[in-house]
C-alpha cells in the first residue's frame, strides 16, 4: 500500500510542488482546499497535464483550518501517514490589516489540526511550515535553530505560536512533529502580490508595453531567497528522519529587493530606475531589515542544501513570466512551471 499524505494549502506554491514530489515518490496525496466560486487549483495543472499520472493518487477535499470538526472528519477519513500543514494567510503586509483572521488561520488553525490528529487517535508524522519571519529583528546573523524569535508582524507572531504548539505536541504526546523554518523561497508559482513575483510580472508587462510603472515599498529589505521546489524536498526529508526535529532551510546568502530589481529588469534589457516608484502604502508598520539563514543542521542531518543561486532564480522567474504573458496573448495555456 502506498503511503498517504495530507497537505493543507495544496493549491499554493509550496503545496503544489510538494504534491508533485510526493506523487513521484509513490504517495497517495490528499489536499485540503477552500470552497470558492472559481477554481483555485491552477498550480496543480502540471499534475493534471502529466500523461503518466495516476488519477487515484490525488484527491482534493473541501475544508478549512477554521473548521475543527471538518478537520477531524477529514483526518479520520484519509488516515494519513504524513501531514504537511502549509495553509496560511501568508502575506506579511496583509497580516497588519487582517490580524485576527491571520492569527485564527495560522495559529489557532494549527491547534485545530493537531487536535484533530490527537482526537482521531492517529500518529502520523507532522510537518509545520514555520517561517524566517519569526526571527524578525534578529539578534544574530546568520539565524539558526537556536536564534531567539522576535516577530515583527501579526503573521510572524502567529507563526511563533504555531511553532511552539508543534513542539508542545511533540513533547506532550510523542507526536513525530517537525518545524521547517524556511527562509524566503520563490518560483514562477509565487503569488503575484509577493514582491519577487510582483517584480518579474511587471518586467514582462513593461517590456510588452502593457505597463509603465511598478510601485514598491522598502527596496533595502534584505532576504535569503531560495528556489521553492528545493525547499519542499527539505520538508519531505524531515519526515523521513527517525526522530522529529526543527530545521532552518536557507541558502546562506542575503540580497536586497534592489538587487532583485537590478537583475530582473536587466535580464529583460530594461532600466528599473525608469519604471519603479516608491509607495509608502507598501511599507510595513514594523519592518524586518535583514534575514539570512544558517542551514548547517539541515545539511548535516538531512543531506539537504540549496542548489539554485540567487541570479539564476531571478532569471528563471523573469523568463517564466515572459513566456506566460506571450502564451496569454496568443491564447495558449501553459502548465504550471
Amino acid at each position: 500500500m502506498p503511503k498517504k499524505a495530507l497537505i493543507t494549502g495544496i493549491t499554493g506554491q509550496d503545496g503544489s510542488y510538494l504534491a508533485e514530489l510526493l506523487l513521484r515518490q509513490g504517495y497517495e496525496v490528499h489536499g485540503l482546499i477552500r470552497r470558492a466560486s472559481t477554481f483555485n487549483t491552477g498550480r496543480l495543472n502540471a499534475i493534471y497535464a502529466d500523461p503518466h499520472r495516476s488519477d487515484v493518487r490525488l484527491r482534493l477535499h473541501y475544508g478549512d483550518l477554521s473548521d475543527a470538526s471538518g478537520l477531524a472528519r477529514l483526518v479520520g477519513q484519509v488516515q494519513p501517514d504524513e501531514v504537511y500543514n502549509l495553509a496560511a494567510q501568508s502575506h506579511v503586509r496583509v497580516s497588519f490589516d487582517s490580524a485576527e483572521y491571520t492569527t485564527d488561520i495560522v495559529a489557532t488553525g494549527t491547534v485545530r489540526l493537531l487536535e484533530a490528529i490527537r482526537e482521531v487517535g492517529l500518529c502520523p508524522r507532522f510537518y509545520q511550515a514555520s517561517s524566517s519571519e519569526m526571527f524578525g529583528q534578529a539578534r544574530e546573523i546568520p539565524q539558526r535553530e537556536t536564534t531567539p524569535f522576535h516577530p515583527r508582524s501579526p503573521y510572524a507572531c502567529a507563526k511563533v505560536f504555531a511553532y511552539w504548539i508543534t513542539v508542545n505536541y511533540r513533547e506532550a504526546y510523542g507526536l513525530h512533529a517537525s518545524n521547517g523554518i524556511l527562509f524566503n523561497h520563490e518560483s514562477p508559482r509565487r503569488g503575484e502580490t509577493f514582491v519577487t513575483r510582483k517584480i518579474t510580472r511587471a518586467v514582462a508587462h513593461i517590456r510588452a508595453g502593457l505597463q509603465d510603472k511598478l510601485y514598491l515599498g522598502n527596496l533595502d529589505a534584505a532576504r535569503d531567497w531560495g528556489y521553492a521546489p528545493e525547499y519542499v524536498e527539505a520538508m519531505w526529508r524531515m519526515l523521513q528522519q527517525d526522530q522529529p526535529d526543527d530545521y532552518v532551510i536557507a541558502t546562506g546568502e542575503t540580497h536586497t529587493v534592489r538587487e532583485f530589481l537590478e537583475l530582473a529588469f536587466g535580464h529583460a534589457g530594461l532600466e528599473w530606475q525608469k519604471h519603479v516608484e516608491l509607495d509608502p502604502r507598501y511599507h510595513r508598520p514594523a519592518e524586518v531589515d535583514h534575514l539570512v539563514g544558517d542551514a548547517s543542521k539541515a545539511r548535516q542531518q538531512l543531506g539537504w542544501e540549496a542548489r539554485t543561486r540567487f541570479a539564476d532564480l531571478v532569471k528563471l522567474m523573469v523568463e517564466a513570466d515572459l513566456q506566460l504573458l506571450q502564451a496569454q496573448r496568443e491564447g495558449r495555456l501553459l502548465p504550471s512551471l
Side-chain angles (χ1 to χ4, degrees):
M1 291 288 291
K3 283 186 178 180
K4 295 181 183 179
L6 173 62
I7 304 173
T8 72
I10 194 172
T11 60
Q13 169 187 255
D14 291 5
S16 62
Y17 283 124
L18 178 61
E20 291 175 14
L21 171 65
L22 295 178
L23 288 169
R24 289 196 301 269
Q25 297 284 356
Y27 282 66
E28 178 181 309
V29 177
H30 295 259
L32 182 71
I33 64 172
R34 287 176 297 173
R35 179 72 177 92
S37 59
T38 57
F39 288 113
N40 60 353
T41 57
R43 293 186 180 92
L44 301 175
N45 285 347
I47 295 174
Y48 293 115
D50 182 358
H52 303 295
R53 74 182 180 91
S54 173
D55 289 62
V56 300
R57 291 198 292 114
L58 176 62
R59 289 286 183 268
L60 302 180
H61 307 265
Y62 287 120
D64 197 287
L65 288 184
S66 64
D67 180 7
S69 60
L71 290 173
R73 284 195 302 272
L74 179 60
V75 170
Q77 174 188 342
V78 173
Q79 300 275 309
D81 300 288
E82 297 173 3
V83 176
Y84 296 85
N85 186 30
L86 311 185
Q89 189 301 101
S90 59
H91 198 287
V92 176
R93 179 63 188 84
V94 170
S95 76
F96 285 98
D97 300 322
S98 302
E100 182 180 347
Y101 172 73
T102 300
T103 303
D104 183 55
I105 298 303
V106 176
T108 312
T110 302
V111 178
R112 294 186 187 109
L113 183 56
L114 286 167
E115 274 295 282
I117 291 169
R118 189 175 72 87
E119 290 178 2
V120 171
L122 297 179
C123 292
R125 297 191 172 193
F126 182 85
Y127 172 83
Q128 171 59 27
S130 292
S131 168
S132 61
E133 288 286 333
M134 300 188 305
F135 295 122
Q137 191 170 312
R139 302 184 191 180
E140 63 180 355
I141 298 175
Q143 293 89 50
R144 49 184 63 87
E145 291 81 6
T146 55
T147 302
F149 299 139
H150 188 152
R152 299 269 286 172
S153 67
Y155 168 78
C157 291
K159 280 292 187 182
V160 169
F161 177 88
Y163 172 95
W164 282 117
I165 200 66
T166 299
V167 172
N168 180 255
Y169 273 65
R170 180 170 73 208
E171 295 176 350
Y173 303 115
L175 185 66
H176 190 297
S178 297
N179 281 288
I181 308 175
L182 272 58
F183 281 65
N184 290 60
H185 46 288
E186 318 298 319
S187 77
R189 298 184 193 175
R190 189 60 142 151
E192 294 177 358
T193 60
F194 290 85
V195 66
T196 52
R197 184 72 195 291
K198 187 176 179 180
I199 291 171
T200 59
R201 183 178 182 275
V203 167
H205 283 71
I206 289 170
R207 197 169 84 162
L210 301 176
Q211 181 177 335
D212 183 54
K213 295 295 182 181
L214 170 63
Y215 297 92
L216 297 174
N218 181 12
L219 303 188
D220 296 317
R223 295 291 186 271
D224 184 326
W225 273 305
Y227 186 37
E230 297 171 6
Y231 282 47
V232 301
E233 180 186 339
M235 300 176 188
W236 175 75
R237 285 176 179 254
M238 290 179 208
L239 297 199
Q240 310 317 304
Q241 304 305 302
D242 291 334
Q243 298 299 322
D245 209 339
D246 309 314
Y247 299 89
V248 163
I249 303 299
T251 70
E253 297 181 7
T254 187
H255 299 274
T256 64
V257 175
R258 182 177 280 101
E259 289 177 78
F260 198 105
L261 278 171
E262 291 171 349
L263 284 172
F265 276 79
H267 184 65
L270 300 169
E271 295 182 41
W272 70 268
Q273 294 90 340
K274 293 181 178 180
H275 301 281
V276 175
E277 293 190 8
L278 301 183
D279 188 333
R281 293 179 301 170
Y282 295 115
H283 284 272
R284 303 178 186 179
E287 185 57 82
V288 174
D289 297 314
H290 189 103
L291 292 175
V292 58
D294 178 0
S296 298
K297 181 177 176 181
R299 182 169 58 252
Q300 294 164 5
Q301 296 188 19
L302 303 179
W304 180 93
E305 61 181 340
R307 300 182 297 276
T308 302
R309 310 323 300 178
F310 177 70
D312 296 325
L313 172 64
V314 177
K315 290 176 182 177
L316 74 84
M317 289 182 66
V318 171
E319 284 297 325
D321 269 319
L322 290 170
Q323 292 176 24
L324 177 61
L325 180 59
Q326 183 65 28
Q328 290 172 341
R329 299 180 83 176
E330 295 175 356
R332 294 184 289 113
L333 293 177
L334 288 178
S336 298
L337 299 172

